[in-house]
Amino acid sequence: MYGEKLVTINNKEYRVWNALDSKLAAALKKGIKDLFVRPEMTCLYLGSSTGTTASHISDIVGKNGCVFCVESAPRVMREFLFLCEERENLVPILADASQPELYKERIIKVEWLYQDVAQRNQVDIFLRNTVMFARKGAYCVLTVKARNIDVKKEPKKVFEEVEHELEKHLKIIAKTTLEPFQKDHMVFVMRY
Amino acid sequence: MVCDKNLRKKNIELSENALRNSVTPDILMIQAVSMFETLDSVQEVIFSKFKEWYGYYYPELERKPGNFIEDVIKDKRPIESLGGVIKGEHKQILLKNARFLKEFSEAKKQIDGYIQESMKKICPNITALAGYVLGLKIIKQAGSLKHLAELPASTIQLLGAEKALFRHLAKKAKSPKYGLLFNHPLVQKAKNKGKAAKLVADKLAICARLDYFKGEFRGEDLRKKIEQKIK
Ligand SMILES: C[S@@+](CC[C@H](N)C(=O)[O-])C[C@H]1O[C@@H](n2cnc3c(N)ncnc32)[C@H](O)[C@@H]1O
């Protein structure tokens, strides 16, 4: 799909989910036991880019699942639209995730939510989308890039503050940094 | 849950339309200037390769005044030339390449003309203040005219100096005072380049907004104001 390896085990073909290409794969490698995404789930993916990671979520939820993908950059959305032609469980939304009111009619409530948007106000974006689209009890995964929030501050400090903010609304189940795959990133796995 | 077919279809349609509508003239101009820069960066290599090749046919031409490529195409090699006797397919391919080089130069000129005209039309204020080449480079660095119009002057001042800025913030290196604006003629001339860059950035922020919202033409005035202040 994007140059990842394919392996065949017991006559079934699998796509390798590479930790260098995808932060969620990196999180699993770093010891996150479960991302809580399951077959048949309805999902929301914020910051889907060209769909590298979204394609793996699409594989996991399968044909009876659905992944709404919000992306604000037209250039990458173009590639993503081509991907949607091949994968019927992907739903493209070219929109700014910081304005969820503008696309609230276009998404139904979801059971799993993931965000990776590399924006200064990423926590705020995440919380507002969670409140608007996540079912009670939904699993929410957030990738935080410290540098985007504040370049001057120690990443550790940034993560602490983010965690404090998240705890007001969600229960944190697990978290991990992504070294050596990504610098100054933290992934939070939570329940709403 | 299976995707609702209608909801999915509606989302695809809306996204496709939004994608089509996202293609604005500034984005096309950014592509054009990027192509121009690429052509420019390979021109010398290509031309010198060709001259080397052509030197085996008519080495004296390179030293003659006039337009080299035009003269190659005219193909008036004197019999006493030091080059080899080259005929048939060996000569044909050489001349075909010369025509390609001529078109290469013309393509560059055409892009340049297109950028100049479109910038004047679409971004008259930015063009008056910074010139069409620098103006477009700044738009390119910001990503789009819309984006540039949303940026504060302090960020515009440092467009193109992102690496230095990051070094400054992360490692407490000296803070940069200008990026692309270093190339602005008024900054070049100024003794205090940092201050000049700030003045230009302030006015450029106004120009970007005027151009984005299709406001009045004030670029010329704004430029004069900077000139006065620098004096
Ligand atoms: C680091 S990339 C995501 C990579 C992707 N998650 C993957 O692993 O394949 C961040 C993406 O978020 C998008 N983005 C940034 N701000 C956004 C916003 N406000 N709304 C929607 N998408 C945004 C960017 O355009 C970019 O494509």
Side-chain angles (χ1 to χ4, degrees), chain A residues 21-23 45-54 70-73 76 95-98 114 116-119 125:
Chain A
D21 295 329
S22 170
K23 289 164 207 158
Y45 191 129
L46 304 163
S48 43
S49 189
T50 56
T52 304
T53 300
V70 178
E71 168 58 53
S72 62
V76 290
D96 182 349
S98 65
Y114 175 56
D116 176 17
V117 294
Q119 286 281 330
I125 295 178

Side-chain angles (χ1 to χ4, degrees), chain B residues 64-84:
Chain B
K64 292 214 157 104
N67 184 317
F68 175 72
I69 287 294
E70 295 285 350
D71 293 340
V72 167
I73 290 167
K74 281 185 197 137
D75 192 27
K76 299 228 170 72
R77 173 183 178 275
I79 196 96
E80 66 277 9
S81 168
L82 284 178

Side-chain angles (χ1 to χ4, degrees), chain A residues 89-145:
Chain A
N89 61 4
L90 292 181
V91 181
I93 297 172
L94 176 49
D96 182 349
S98 65
Q99 294 183 289
E101 322 77 44
L102 295 184
Y103 53 82
K104 68 171 191 293
E105 310 294 327
R106 297 169 66 177
I107 299 179
I108 57 172
K109 289 263 176 187
V110 302
E111 299 153 284
W112 191 82
L113 185 151
Y114 175 56
Q115 175 180 299
D116 176 17
V117 294
Q119 286 281 330
R120 187 205 293 271
N121 57 343
Q122 49 193 296
V123 176
D124 177 55
I125 295 178
F126 171 78
L127 289 175
R128 286 197 292 132
N129 278 276
T130 300
V131 170
M132 205 170 269
F133 301 112
R135 277 211 191 121
K136 272 269 168 261
Y139 290 96
C140 302
V141 181
L142 172 66
T143 293
V144 176
K145 186 173 173 185

Side-chain angles (χ1 to χ4, degrees), chain B residues 8-75:
Chain B
R8 181 170 185 269
K9 204 170 143 225
K10 191 180 135 212
N11 270 309
I12 290 178
E13 273 171 21
L14 286 171
S15 296
E16 285 179 347
N17 279 332
L19 179 62
R20 285 186 197 103
N21 293 333
S22 72
V23 184
T24 46
D26 54 312
I27 288 182
L28 298 175
M29 292 192 292
I30 289 171
Q31 290 301 311
V33 78
S34 167
M35 179 61 112
F36 184 92
E37 283 167 349
T38 306
L39 293 179
D40 201 50
S41 70
V42 295
Q43 180 164 19
E44 217 178 288
V45 187
I46 297 179
F47 274 68
S48 80
K49 282 276 169 235
F50 180 78
K51 282 181 178 160
E52 182 61 22
W53 186 4
Y54 189 77
Y56 287 91
Y57 172 61
Y58 179 9
E60 294 82 0
L61 184 63
E62 216 194 310
R63 296 152 191 273
K64 292 214 157 104
N67 184 317
F68 175 72
I69 287 294
E70 295 285 350
D71 293 340
V72 167
I73 290 167
K74 281 185 197 137
D75 192 27

Side-chain angles (χ1 to χ4, degrees), chain A residues 40 42 64-66 74 84 87-88 90 92 94 106 108 147 151, chain B residues 1-3 7-8 10-12 14-16 18-19 22 166 169:
Chain A
E40 305 194 7
T42 300
N64 292 327
C66 183
C84 289
R87 292 176 172 267
E88 290 193 355
L90 292 181
L94 176 49
R106 297 169 66 177
I108 57 172
R147 251 210 238 161
V151 257
Chain B
M1 203 166 84
V2 186
C3 285
L7 183 60
R8 181 170 185 269
K10 191 180 135 212
N11 270 309
I12 290 178
L14 286 171
S15 296
E16 285 179 347
L19 179 62
S22 72
F166 184 67
L169 292 172

